[in-house]
Amino acid sequence: MKGFLKKDLALLYNTGKVYLAVIAMGIVLGLVNKEMRSFSSSFIMIMLAFAGASTLSYDDFENGMPFLISLPVSKKTYIKEKYLICFLSGAVGLVIAAVLGSVIFKMPLIHGEEPMLFVFPVYFAIAEIMTAVMIPTRIKFGPEKSRIVGMGFVVAIFLASFCIGYLFKLFSVDIDALIRDAQENIPKLALVLGVMVFCMVIMLISYTFSVKALEKKEF
Amino acid sequence: MLAELDQVKKQYKDFTLDCSMKIQEDCVTGLIGANGAGKSTTFKMLLGLVRPDSGEIRIFGKNRKDLSENDRREIGTVLSDSFFSGYLTVAQLMSFMGDFYPGFQKKEFEKQCGRFQLPVDKKIKEFSTGMKAKLKILFAISVNARFLILDEPTAGLDVMSRETILDLLREYMEVPGRGVLISSHISSDLEQFCDEIYMIDRGKIVMQEETDRILGNYGVLKLDDRSFASLDKKYLLRIRKEAFGYSCLTDQRQFYQENYPDLTVERGTVDQVLTMMTKGEAL
């Protein structure tokens, strides 16, 4: 795994300048509009988590995958390393967001609106969940088809959200009241822990799918 | 024996691979065939990139599926159309190759990069085709493996570079117990370098022969219809109708040279033998 990790860190080092622009964009967004501070922090975390997943594209570049799979490392190790690099790049995003949040945006840590200690772990979990969907899709469908499948996921999420919203309306369920109730009655820490556990479950399912997909794949 | 493919079959929509091969230690084995004949598929089977439908693949005496990571470190690979990402530099490759192959000879590799004028700080995607080819071979040789599997390693190289690379491979073979399986379209490379040659056509091995025998004993007879009619055909392997009469492949060139002194008998080359074995008819 060390070899693959060093390889991907080298790739990110060579191609990472674009992420400096992402961070700069996040800073400007948060400074220009105070209400966008939380969004810009989540944006940085998600984009940097995607940076880890982008190493899959670089591996695929000019048909590189057959050679990588022929190296004396198991396919499982290749997959493990991808999840690790996504976790590490997302964690770097979390640290950068935390520094920006406390030093530049002056966001509250525990009390107040959108406290960092509760909100940032949730954003980190969302970023990791998104990469957990991206990795097995990319492994199974390859670079071209995975874009179409990805768009399909987005459409499916929109449709599902629309349907759920419609059903709530049909049965006269007030979603806003439900969310307000949850925020008031469920401790923030429990909510955060719940999201983290959900994230870990998704990562485990995703990892299993990815390993199965790569073991089955022929080059 | 280093590797063996025993009645290995793979069915695709419009192509079937069905081959048996043995790659011996202290031997350079060549695989030659037309585009789409099945060379790369055969190599991919050995590397575990493609699974056979039936048959057995053995490497270092073990079933391919049972190879450990240590066993796989004894295999150095060149694939014609695949390598590390072009966004990496040679210097970066050198920094982590040792993690994949503990036997990676970094200093020697660096020396060879200097010899072949490969810039270590330039991204691989900026290399020319020839530079990429040299880089792939240098890496394969530098991992200090027992068995090299080289798919079209000299494609894109000029004559002088090919000679230098073949010299490197000859040096590599000086260590006992090693072996090379190499495929190439450049038959002169195979003639110079290989101890034995397998010819593959439409997924099937059509011939296996020692290179010295091909060059020493094989020949192509060129004759008109009348001469063909009176010819002793017992040593003819393939015949092919031509405008002038017939071309005939034989593995007993000397017999025809001695008994038919007026006959045009050309020394067999790998290219000619391959053409006759694939396009000619058996008698």
Side-chain angles (χ1 to χ4, degrees), chain B residues 1-5 21-29 46 57-62 67 74-75 145-149 172-173 176-181:
Chain B
M1 188 147 22
L2 275 179
E4 184 180 3
L5 289 97
M21 281 179 73
K22 288 181 185 174
I23 296 106
Q24 305 285 0
E25 287 174 341
D26 303 308
C27 184
V28 179
T29 306
L46 280 166
I57 300 171
R58 299 184 73 77
I59 300 180
F60 308 139
K62 293 182 187 176
L67 288 180
E74 295 292 342
I75 304 172
R146 248 178 89 191
F147 180 26
L148 291 186
I149 298 176
Y172 166 85
M173 283 301 295
R178 287 178 169 176
V180 174
L181 173 64

Side-chain angles (χ1 to χ4, degrees), chain A residues 155-207:
Chain A
V155 167
I157 289 167
F158 268 114
L159 280 173
S161 308
F162 178 78
C163 290
I164 291 168
Y166 181 76
L167 282 170
F168 277 162
K169 207 172 166 183
L170 193 69
F171 292 105
S172 307
V173 176
D174 186 350
I175 306 169
D176 290 332
L178 270 175
I179 293 171
R180 267 197 308 274
D181 273 344
Q183 280 180 322
E184 280 163 19
N185 297 319
I186 302 172
K188 282 196 176 106
L189 189 62
L191 267 172
V192 169
L193 285 173
V195 169
M196 302 298 280
V197 166
F198 178 68
C199 173
M200 283 194 285
V201 167
I202 296 292
M203 298 284 279
L204 196 63
I205 295 170
S206 165
Y207 169 79

Side-chain angles (χ1 to χ4, degrees), chain B residues 128-181:
Chain B
S128 67
T129 309
M131 287 163 81
K132 281 182 199 168
K134 287 176 202 173
L135 180 62
K136 286 184 200 176
I137 297 167
L138 289 182
F139 260 119
I141 294 174
S142 301
V143 303
N144 208 21
R146 248 178 89 191
F147 180 26
L148 291 186
I149 298 176
L150 312 175
D151 187 13
E152 307 269 0
T154 56
L157 293 179
D158 57 70
V159 168
M160 287 170 301
S161 297
R162 282 193 346 247
E163 267 311 307
T164 316
I165 290 294
L166 291 178
D167 283 339
L168 276 179
L169 289 170
R170 285 184 194 101
E171 267 177 47
Y172 166 85
M173 283 301 295
E174 282 170 13
V175 175
R178 287 178 169 176
V180 174
L181 173 64

Side-chain angles (χ1 to χ4, degrees), chain B residues 210-230:
Chain B
E210 288 173 24
T211 315
D212 286 344
R213 268 192 52 81
I214 293 175
L215 301 176
N217 296 20
Y218 280 64
V220 176
L221 318 178
K222 307 244 163 140
L223 53 166
D224 57 30
D225 293 344
R226 207 172 59 163
S227 306
F228 179 74
S230 60

Side-chain angles (χ1 to χ4, degrees), chain B residues 84-114:
Chain B
F84 283 112
S85 171
Y87 286 90
L88 294 166
T89 65
V90 175
Q92 286 168 333
L93 296 191
M94 282 198 284
S95 73
F96 59 71
M97 263 321 252
D99 295 309
F100 292 113
Y101 296 94
F104 176 61
Q105 295 164 323
K106 194 174 171 183
K107 282 198 171 68
E108 180 61 25
F109 173 78
E110 215 169 341
K111 193 175 112 188
Q112 296 294 352
C113 282

